[in-house]
Amino acid sequence: MCLVNIRREARLSHVSDSTIWKALWSRGIRPYREMFKFILKSENEVVRLKYCMERKEWEIDEWRNYGFTDEMSIEVGSLFGLNLVWQEKKETWHDDCVGYKKKQGESVMYWGMIGWGWKGPFYVWEIESSEEREEAALAIALLEEGREVEEKRLNEEWKELEEWKDLRTEELATFSAECYTEKHNNAPKEQVPQTHQGKKFKLAKYKRGEGRGIDS
């Protein structure tokens, strides 16, 4: 924590800064630059570490074929600069000594892309207005309507093919054989999938993002 918070929590507002400074230094507590870490779940930390370890020996020839994207949220009106935290050196990564990359106020989202020897596009996303949300919802609804029509057409055409007819004949025959076995041999009937009754083509639905970021 910073010096002002130390004074406040210790109820030492009547003590001078120099006295508190000397007391902290005598106990091995120094002002260090605040370190930041990303807010990651433990499983995501494992995934990132695995990705890095698999590529730690890569040379330029491997990396030149990759592009890297990233997004950054800048908080409007926030302070920018160096923050100092009073701590022992071994406490660098303690939770109360580390800043987290989480914005508290209104922010603007930036997105960019780079590769070996080139820079990609750079976009700025402003906060979506209610009108823009309504327009997006209408556009998605129209896309969904078209998707449903196309999915229905593809599956109807599929059911006119010999492929579907052969599948239907095979599955019905297997089902009949299982029913006969259950009836005459007193054996349990196994489940026989009737995929010919379903859809071969299932087009991905259009929907709004989950709000977890542009790259997610």
Side-chain angles (χ1 to χ4, degrees):
M1 64 176 61
C2 58
L3 186 58
V4 65
N5 290 332
I6 294 176
R7 292 184 61 187
R8 184 184 300 116
E9 291 197 10
R11 299 181 180 179
L12 296 174
S13 57
H14 60 287
V15 180
S16 67
D17 286 346
S18 60
T19 301
I20 295 176
W21 181 289
K22 292 176 182 178
L24 293 173
W25 273 73
S26 67
R27 291 166 174 77
I29 300 176
R30 307 281 193 273
Y32 292 92
R33 178 176 179 175
E34 183 183 30
M35 303 300 290
F36 281 85
K37 69 177 182 179
F38 293 97
I39 303 174
L40 293 175
K41 295 181 179 178
S42 57
E43 55 266 30
N44 290 335
E45 292 178 352
V46 173
V47 171
R48 290 196 177 195
L49 177 60
K50 181 176 181 293
Y51 179 92
C52 293
M53 294 302 292
E54 290 174 349
R55 294 162 176 79
K56 67 178 182 177
E57 303 296 337
W58 276 20
E59 301 292 342
I60 294 177
D61 289 338
E62 286 92 358
W63 287 118
R64 70 169 66 251
N65 297 320
Y66 277 71
F68 296 90
T69 65
D70 197 11
E71 60 187 54
M72 179 176 63
S73 175
I74 297 180
E75 188 172 359
V76 178
S78 64
L79 298 177
F80 179 80
L82 177 65
N83 290 328
L84 297 178
V85 177
W86 286 83
Q87 64 186 50
E88 294 183 38
K89 190 171 181 60
K90 63 182 180 181
E91 296 177 323
T92 300
W93 295 108
H94 284 202
D95 287 342
D96 59 351
C97 297
V98 176
Y100 291 89
K101 292 185 177 295
K102 187 173 183 180
K103 307 299 183 296
Q104 303 297 325
E106 183 177 336
S107 60
V108 179
M109 181 65 70
Y110 297 80
W111 182 91
M113 181 176 182
I114 62 171
W116 181 263
W118 61 274
K119 295 179 181 179
F122 183 78
Y123 295 103
V124 179
W125 272 266
E126 297 182 355
I127 297 177
E128 188 179 32
S129 65
S130 57
E131 291 79 11
E132 289 172 330
R133 268 192 222 96
E134 292 177 1
E135 291 177 2
L138 177 60
I140 291 173
L142 293 174
L143 289 171
E144 262 298 285
E145 184 178 339
R147 181 197 66 81
E148 291 175 356
V149 171
E150 178 65 8
E151 184 177 273
K152 181 179 180 181
R153 181 188 68 79
L154 290 172
N155 285 294
E156 286 178 347
E157 290 181 354
W158 173 55
K159 291 184 178 182
E160 297 295 327
L161 300 177
E162 290 299 322
E163 174 192 349
W164 179 83
K165 296 176 182 178
D166 292 342
L167 177 64
R168 177 177 180 273
T169 301
E170 179 183 349
E171 290 182 343
L172 291 177
T174 303
F175 179 76
S176 297
E178 287 296 328
C179 291
Y180 180 88
T181 300
E182 180 186 32
K183 181 177 180 180
H184 295 279
N185 298 340
N186 198 26
K189 181 177 64 176
E190 295 185 5
Q191 293 292 330
V192 179
Q194 301 294 303
T195 56
H196 70 279
Q197 296 180 357
K199 299 178 180 179
K200 178 180 180 181
F201 299 96
K202 296 181 181 180
L203 305 183
K205 292 185 177 182
Y206 292 97
K207 60 180 181 179
R208 288 183 63 90
E210 299 178 358
R212 296 182 300 173
I214 299 165
D215 289 334
S216 60

